[in-house]
């Protein structure tokens, strides 16, 4: 299975900060990379698919980039609703593995 | 679009359990479906996938030989049969639509259910 590694594991930031999360794959996943947000105590939901495409209703402060083995999720100006845990997922294979998660905390 | 999981329970080590996911609001038979679990305080772990038409199955090494994924396209249902359960299988189990490569937001989907809890303990 493809291993997905996120960094950092925890990120402390303030409202208004620009935040970047990195996801690395153990082998190329082309552009088949998704990002999910999971608020505390709730189910995950899709933010971004195919590396850089926003799910409907996702604010434009979220963006994704990358290709192959290295990807980033950027939040241009952190808002109170954005304090949550974020996961990347590769779906180039049917064994659709996740990164270990990045928790964005209030500084 | 809705995914509604059921079947989670408290079970003793070595026991068995069958989870179900009732899907509605989308063309279930055309989508690969997965089970994803989340142990308490931990991250998301992919468990198993079943493809839409030919029903090929894929499993994480941690569950291979103990879990069986299946689908009933006539009833829009996904199942996970779990045997020889261990304490480390304790988790919230989510039903999840695997994003098709051809998918765009032109076809609205909600990719996750709310989960069903499984606790393996004596």
């Amino acid at each position: 299975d493809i291993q997905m590694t996120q960094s950092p594991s925890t990120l402390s930031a303030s409202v208004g900060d620009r935040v970047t999360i990195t996801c690395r794959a153990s082998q190329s996943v082309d552009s088949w990379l998704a990002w999910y947000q999971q608020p505390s105590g709730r189910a995950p939901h899709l933010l971004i698919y195919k590396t850089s495409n926003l799910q409907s209703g996702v604010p434009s402060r979220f963006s994704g980039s990358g290709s192959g083995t290295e990807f980033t999720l950027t939040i241009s100006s952190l808002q109170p609703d954005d304090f949550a845990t974020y996961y990347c997922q590769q779906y180039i294979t049917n064994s659709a593995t996740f990164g270990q998660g990045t928790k964005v905390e209030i500084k | 679009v809705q995914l509604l999981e059921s079947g989670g329970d408290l079970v003793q080590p070595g026991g068995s359990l069958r989870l179900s996911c009732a899907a509605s609001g989308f063309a279930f038979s055309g989508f690969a479906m997965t089970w994803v679990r989340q142990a308490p305080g931990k991250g998301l772990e992919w468990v198993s996938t079943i493809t839409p038409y030919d029903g090929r199955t894929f499993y994480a090494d941690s569950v291979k030989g103990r879990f069986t994924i299946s689908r009933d396209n006539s009833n829009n249902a996904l199942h996970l049969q779990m045997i020889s359960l261990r304490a480390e299988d304790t988790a919230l189990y989510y039903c999840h639509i695997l994003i098709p490569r051809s998918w765009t937001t032109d076809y609205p989907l909600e990719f996750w259910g709310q989960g069903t809890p499984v606790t393996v303990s004596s």
Side-chain angles (χ1 to χ4, degrees):
Chain A
D1 295 346
I2 298 174
Q3 306 304 312
M4 307 300 292
T5 305
Q6 289 180 232
S7 61
S9 295
T10 305
L11 190 160
S12 296
S14 302
V15 172
D17 283 354
R18 182 182 180 88
V19 163
T20 298
I21 299 168
T22 298
C23 176
R24 290 185 173 87
S26 60
Q27 63 189 75
S28 177
V29 300
D30 196 0
S31 60
W32 305 111
L33 191 284
W35 290 96
Y36 297 92
Q37 180 193 65
Q38 186 177 34
S40 180
R42 297 177 62 181
H45 63 265
L46 179 67
L47 285 178
I48 288 173
Y49 66 100
K50 203 178 177 184
T51 298
S52 59
N53 296 275
L54 263 60
Q55 164 70 305
S56 297
V58 172
S60 59
R61 63 180 179 273
F62 290 91
S63 63
S65 64
S67 68
T69 62
E70 187 153 341
F71 301 86
T72 59
L73 171 70
T74 299
I75 309 172
S76 60
S77 176
L78 203 62
Q79 298 302 302
D81 284 349
D82 302 339
F83 292 99
T85 302
Y86 294 84
Y87 297 91
C88 62
Q89 180 200 38
Q90 62 79 17
Y91 56 104
I92 194 171
T93 71
N94 284 303
S95 305
T97 46
F98 293 88
Q100 80 279 16
T102 296
K103 185 174 183 180
V104 177
E105 297 181 329
I106 300 173
K107 192 172 185 179
Chain B
V1 176
Q2 188 173 18
L3 300 171
L4 188 61
E5 302 93 338
S6 62
D9 205 348
L10 170 63
V11 60
Q12 291 190 340
S16 302
L17 210 54
R18 186 181 193 231
L19 306 183
S20 296
C21 172
S24 60
F26 68 104
F28 175 79
S29 61
F31 289 83
M33 297 297 298
T34 76
W35 287 98
V36 175
R37 68 184 181 184
Q38 187 168 36
K42 303 297 184 182
L44 301 174
E45 180 189 11
W46 170 76
V47 172
S48 183
T49 298
I50 186 165
T51 57
Y53 298 111
D54 54 4
R56 288 179 295 141
T57 58
F58 304 82
Y59 298 95
D61 288 343
S62 57
V63 307
K64 203 170 291 183
R66 300 188 299 122
F67 289 13
T68 302
I69 191 172
S70 62
R71 66 190 299 157
D72 179 355
N73 287 338
S74 60
N75 289 303
N76 291 347
L78 177 72
H79 304 288
L80 186 68
Q81 179 68 49
M82 306 185 293
I83 66 170
S84 304
L85 283 162
R86 307 166 180 167
E88 53 265 35
D89 296 319
T90 294
L92 188 63
Y93 284 73
Y94 291 103
C95 177
H96 168 55
I97 302 170
L98 187 60
I99 305 172
R101 294 188 184 189
S102 59
W103 183 77
T104 71
T105 55
D106 291 340
Y107 189 86
L109 281 176
E110 184 53 57
F111 288 87
W112 296 85
Q114 292 304 303
T116 187
V118 172
T119 303
V120 184
S121 174
S122 55

